[in-house]
Amino acid sequence: MVKGLAAAAAILMTAMAVGTMTAPLAHAAPAGDGASPRTATPDEQSSFFDWYNATHQQTTSLLRPQFTVKKEGGRKGKRLVTAIVDGPAVRAVLPLCRQPRTLFDLDPRAPKAARWTERTPAQTLVWIEHQRQCGAQPDTPILLHAPLAEMDMLMLLQQHPTVLGNARLLMAGNSACAPSRSRGYRLTGLDRAKDGLPVLVFENDIAGEARVSVRRSRNELQPWAVVCAPPR
């Protein structure tokens, strides 16, 4: 009896093992494509270095350029390649730093000597740095859209969180701004309004824009007007 049960158990285990070995394997879930952000091709980058070295021979060094690629008018539009070159950062009024930025656009159909075109005027980036030297550029430098006095730039950078908080009250009464008044915003630029007032340029978390002009009251900046634009 015992031998019979042992034999039956052995047969059952063998059958289970065979069934396991012959059962179809489940397909693994597809992995993410892990695609990296679009950038210039190696040939396009090499083309820029060749052109830059040939046309900027008086430049002692070339900082590591960044390349951006966009599609004009959507995914099927013309491919637009831009090279971004940042110059050395310099100390302005303490603790303000400023840095020149130049953009170059690629025309792949142009002759080799004229394939890249420098945009004018050059841009300027600003940020606050409390160390003795300006050092490395921060992750989110601020773009200077119009000339401003250095002390004005410093006050705008230092007080922009307070100005933004107070400006949300103005947004509530503006039909273009009200829907996005509670969204998160970050400072992206400094500008000057048509009436001459300094402007803080903010971008929200859905790529919408808010431009807040300010007036100075003693040592404090107060929001004066706000203009909002929908996501680009």
Side-chain angles (χ1 to χ4, degrees):
M1 181 69 177
V2 174
K3 291 183 178 179
L5 291 174
I11 293 172
L12 179 60
M13 292 178 65
T14 302
M16 291 175 62
V18 172
T20 302
M21 293 173 61
T22 58
L25 297 176
H27 292 286
D33 56 12
S36 59
R38 290 176 300 176
T39 187
T41 66
D43 287 345
E44 290 168 340
Q45 295 185 35
S46 177
S47 168
F48 174 73
F49 279 106
D50 291 343
W51 175 86
Y52 190 93
N53 291 333
T55 56
H56 294 70
Q57 296 180 358
Q58 296 181 351
T59 303
T60 56
S61 63
L62 170 63
L63 299 184
R64 185 178 181 86
Q66 306 171 54
F67 293 91
T68 63
V69 178
K70 297 181 180 179
K71 290 286 188 177
E72 186 178 45
R75 294 183 178 180
K76 297 183 180 180
K78 179 182 177 182
R79 191 167 178 271
L80 305 176
V81 181
T82 301
I84 303 170
V85 176
D86 291 337
V90 296
R91 174 66 72 188
V93 59
L94 286 172
L96 186 68
C97 290
R98 59 191 303 159
Q99 182 179 38
R101 166 171 285 184
T102 309
L103 280 67
F104 303 87
D105 297 310
L106 172 65
D107 181 358
R109 297 183 179 181
K112 184 177 181 179
R115 196 161 293 172
W116 291 87
T117 304
E118 181 176 341
R119 289 190 205 174
T120 55
Q123 298 179 347
T124 300
L125 305 176
V126 294
W127 67 88
I128 289 177
E129 175 58 70
H130 293 283
Q131 301 298 323
R132 293 183 61 184
Q133 302 294 329
C134 285
Q137 179 190 109
D139 293 336
T140 55
I142 309 305
L143 180 61
L144 186 63
H145 294 279
L148 293 169
E150 290 184 352
M151 286 303 300
D152 289 343
M153 288 190 281
L154 183 59
M155 287 188 66
L156 289 165
L157 293 178
Q158 290 174 330
Q159 298 188 31
H160 80 269
T162 302
V163 172
L164 175 61
N166 294 334
R168 292 184 189 273
L169 298 176
L170 294 177
M171 292 181 182
N174 185 315
S175 59
C177 299
S180 58
R181 65 184 292 261
S182 61
R183 304 201 73 94
Y185 282 88
R186 69 179 183 90
L187 182 66
T188 61
L190 304 179
D191 203 352
R192 189 178 293 280
K194 293 181 179 179
D195 58 7
L197 292 178
V199 172
L200 290 160
V201 183
F202 295 95
E203 184 178 279
N204 63 29
D205 49 15
I206 56 172
E209 185 180 82
R211 297 172 56 87
V212 182
S213 59
V214 299
R215 284 186 178 275
R216 182 172 177 175
S217 176
R218 296 184 180 179
N219 291 326
E220 293 184 357
L221 298 177
Q222 300 294 335
W224 181 253
V226 59
V227 177
C228 295
R232 295 185 294 275

